[in-house]
Amino acid sequence: MHNPGQSSRSLLAAFVFVWRSRYLLFGMVRREVSGRYRGSWLGLLWSLLTPILLLAIYTFIFGFVFKVRWGEGRNVDGEFAAVLFCGIILHGFLSEVLTRSPLLIIGNVNFVIKVVFPLEALSWVTVGASLFHFLLALVVLVAFLLLSGSGIALTALALPLLLVPFAFILLGISWFVDALGVYVRDTTHVAGIVATALMFLSPVFYPLSVVPEAYQDLYFLNPLSYV
């Protein structure tokens, strides 16, 4: 029988672990972010350029080629681009965690064999690095909204209420996928396919209202749909 008290203690233990290991986790996240762009000419600037380029490409393809509209009669303007960008950067957060998790333990064998290391920290680092890239993209979104004159609604203050639970969902997914990746090496390939499928099977490029009502409940099996 499920014990709610046990779940509460487990959640508390997770926060205690993060607090006690905060310097280790911060150092590993910083190394993960800087190491990803080491040797490239533009370095960390790619974290800003990538979402901007994706925004331009997706806006052109879905707005001008396929002529997708968000809602009735909405043209391809700054508002359409902003809505599209919201979905893109949230999916990027999920996709980065999902595709990198299968190799977390396999790619850090020294942590498993040679030293006493809390393996759960690897997923915290992955989520932390992905969150960093998400927040950079969020800065781009805010700048775009201000420059385009669209403005930012007060409801944007509620973003942490969505983002924090979403980050914990991704943390749980990462723990599951990195453990599975140790035993099933095909997880690496499947994770990429699933990440792409989750993007198109969620209201990123179109509102949920255009999906037939019979299938809308299935869409909410995708954690990206809620956020």
Side-chain angles (χ1 to χ4, degrees):
M1 186 175 179
H2 179 67
N3 187 349
Q6 185 176 1
S7 299
S8 300
R9 288 193 296 271
S10 299
L11 184 60
L12 178 61
F15 283 107
V16 170
F17 167 76
V18 172
W19 176 252
R20 290 179 176 176
S21 308
R22 60 190 183 278
Y23 298 113
L24 170 65
L25 294 176
F26 178 77
M28 292 184 68
V29 169
R30 184 171 59 181
R31 188 185 68 174
E32 171 73 16
V33 172
S34 61
R36 188 174 307 181
Y37 303 103
R38 186 178 294 119
S40 63
W41 288 355
L42 297 180
L44 193 60
L45 189 60
W46 280 114
S47 297
L48 291 173
L49 288 178
T50 300
I52 293 174
L53 292 174
L54 288 176
L55 172 61
I57 293 171
Y58 284 135
T59 301
F60 174 75
I61 295 297
F62 288 92
F64 292 97
V65 177
F66 293 127
K67 300 186 184 301
V68 176
R69 296 293 182 267
W70 196 283
E72 296 181 0
R74 183 171 296 180
N75 296 322
V76 182
D77 54 12
E79 191 175 357
F80 170 85
V83 171
L84 185 62
F85 196 42
C86 285
I88 290 173
I89 63 177
L90 281 168
H91 172 264
F93 188 10
L94 179 148
S95 178
E96 186 173 348
V97 172
L98 185 59
T99 55
R100 295 181 69 85
S101 292
L103 296 176
L104 286 182
I105 296 179
I106 298 173
N108 295 278
V109 178
N110 290 335
F111 288 155
V112 180
I113 299 177
K114 296 183 179 180
V115 298
V116 178
F117 182 83
L119 294 180
E120 64 270 23
L122 296 175
S123 290
W124 282 102
V125 172
T126 299
V127 173
S130 302
L131 179 61
F132 171 81
H133 291 106
F134 170 82
L135 293 177
L136 280 182
L138 190 62
V139 171
V140 173
L141 174 62
V142 171
F144 176 80
L145 289 172
L146 294 177
L147 292 175
S148 65
S150 299
I152 302 174
L154 288 177
T155 50
L157 296 175
L159 179 61
L161 299 179
L162 295 174
L163 191 58
V164 171
F166 186 55
F168 277 104
I169 289 174
L170 296 185
L171 180 65
I173 291 174
S174 179
W175 279 332
F176 174 78
V177 173
D178 70 8
L180 185 63
V182 175
Y183 301 99
V184 183
R185 298 301 175 91
D186 294 335
T187 305
T188 303
H189 306 288
V190 174
I193 297 173
V194 170
T196 302
L198 290 179
M199 177 173 62
F200 290 102
L201 294 177
S202 63
V204 171
F205 298 113
Y206 50 85
L208 188 62
S209 58
V210 305
V211 179
E213 189 173 352
Y215 298 103
Q216 289 186 9
D217 290 340
L218 294 176
Y219 265 63
F220 285 104
L221 295 176
N222 180 353
L224 191 61
S225 296
Y226 290 95
V227 189

